[in-house]
Amino acid sequence: MLASEQFRSMKPTAAVKKGQKRARQQRFAFVTKSEVDHLEDGYRWRKYGQKAVKNSPFPRSYYRCTNSKCTVKKRVERSSEDPSVVITTYEGQHCHHQTSFQRGGMHFHGGATVALAEQMSFVSTQQLYNLPPLRRQQMNPASSESVVSSVPPSLQQLNGGDELRRSTSYSPMPSAAQTSSSSLVPPDVSFDMGLLGDIVPPGVRNG
DNA sequence: CGCATTTGACCTGCGC
DNA sequence: GCGCAGGTCAAATGCG
């Protein structure tokens, strides 16, 4: 309570920072079928806020990359239509490698991560935010291979490639496809997007 | 002890 | 100009 009062006095500083809010950054929306809100995507996220949104009965959570040099933000909200569907919106791009995928990581629950990743389906930002078209190679069915190959080998190593690759190689998730017509990418690609961190860059960074 | 999460309040932008 | 909704901050609290 008292803290709040002190807080107010220093609020002005916040106003200054607000300017960043309007900054146009690359945004990527993912539709993930999961029971948990906090999806493991290979990075460490720190929750900095939670807000109830109008369109959904579920609160929206705001996460920020724990890397002080990384300005990537993530919004996580559940679909009002399908509570089991989690919509994750990434904003910005990572300037570092994954950190939480390391074995023994406090927040890394191996199986869960993979399970989630495989269920991830990329949704064109345009569909959700009506943003200008993004150059996404993933959009081309024929390029799916190139997408997979675009995954930095080092990434797979970081993640314990063998384990992940095995996990991502299993059968597609029909449920995910049903979740939204936007799941136009195969499981492998979906997973790729799940680790977006360094993925974002190729086709979009220049965009 | 350090880090992550929770929570309430404040600020900004947009629509009416 | 006012109100609403979204987004962010920082102190407090909890957990490992």
Side-chain angles (χ1 to χ4, degrees):
Chain A
M1 311 325 169
L2 293 174
S4 298
E5 295 185 71
Q6 289 183 343
F7 194 25
R8 278 181 216 168
S9 61
M10 50 198 304
K11 266 307 164 182
T13 56
V16 176
K17 296 179 182 178
K18 293 305 162 87
Q20 297 177 9
K21 187 163 64 174
R22 294 293 162 190
R24 298 283 179 179
Q25 293 197 55
Q26 290 148 358
R27 295 199 288 197
F28 302 90
F30 292 85
V31 174
T32 310
K33 194 141 188 174
S34 170
E35 295 180 4
V36 296
D37 293 339
H38 197 173
L39 305 174
E40 294 293 344
D41 52 17
Y43 292 94
R44 291 285 296 278
W45 300 92
R46 184 173 62 179
K47 191 174 186 175
Y48 68 87
Q50 183 173 308
K51 258 286 197 179
V53 291
K54 199 75 174 180
N55 297 331
S56 175
F58 305 99
R60 176 182 295 170
S61 298
Y62 300 89
Y63 297 88
R64 178 174 293 173
C65 187
T66 54
N67 190 318
S68 57
K69 294 182 180 178
C70 187
T71 60
V72 178
K73 284 177 283 188
K74 183 170 80 169
R75 262 174 294 181
V76 179
E77 60 183 294
R78 284 189 176 280
S79 170
S80 57
E81 296 181 1
D82 286 296
S84 60
V85 175
V86 178
I87 299 173
T88 306
T89 304
Y90 292 89
E91 197 168 309
Q93 46 191 261
H94 292 279
C95 58
H96 58 98
H97 291 288
Q98 286 86 343
T99 57
S100 64
F101 256 158
Q102 296 173 32
R103 298 201 177 200
M106 276 200 301
H107 297 259
F108 174 46
H109 305 289
T113 303
V114 176
L116 292 173
E118 68 158 309
Q119 295 177 49
M120 289 185 101
S121 55
F122 175 74
V123 176
S124 136
T125 351
Q126 311 147 43
Q127 294 180 31
L128 293 178
Y129 301 98
N130 192 31
L131 295 174
L134 296 173
R135 298 190 310 172
R136 303 218 55 86
Q137 48 188 180
Q138 283 83 1
M139 287 306 168
N140 300 323
S143 66
S144 59
E145 287 186 1
S146 61
V147 172
V148 175
S149 61
S150 70
V151 178
S154 57
L155 197 85
Q156 296 179 4
Q157 292 177 3
L158 281 171
N159 303 340
D162 182 57
E163 184 176 301
L164 287 177
R165 273 154 59 173
R166 259 190 324 199
S167 303
T168 57
S169 64
Y170 34 86
S171 59
M173 293 290 286
S175 59
Q178 293 174 359
T179 297
S180 76
S181 59
S182 53
S183 77
L184 14 75
V185 292
D188 288 329
V189 177
S190 298
F191 179 69
D192 182 355
M193 295 308 297
L195 300 172
L196 95 164
D198 291 348
I199 294 163
V200 175
V204 188
R205 270 182 185 168
N206 298 331

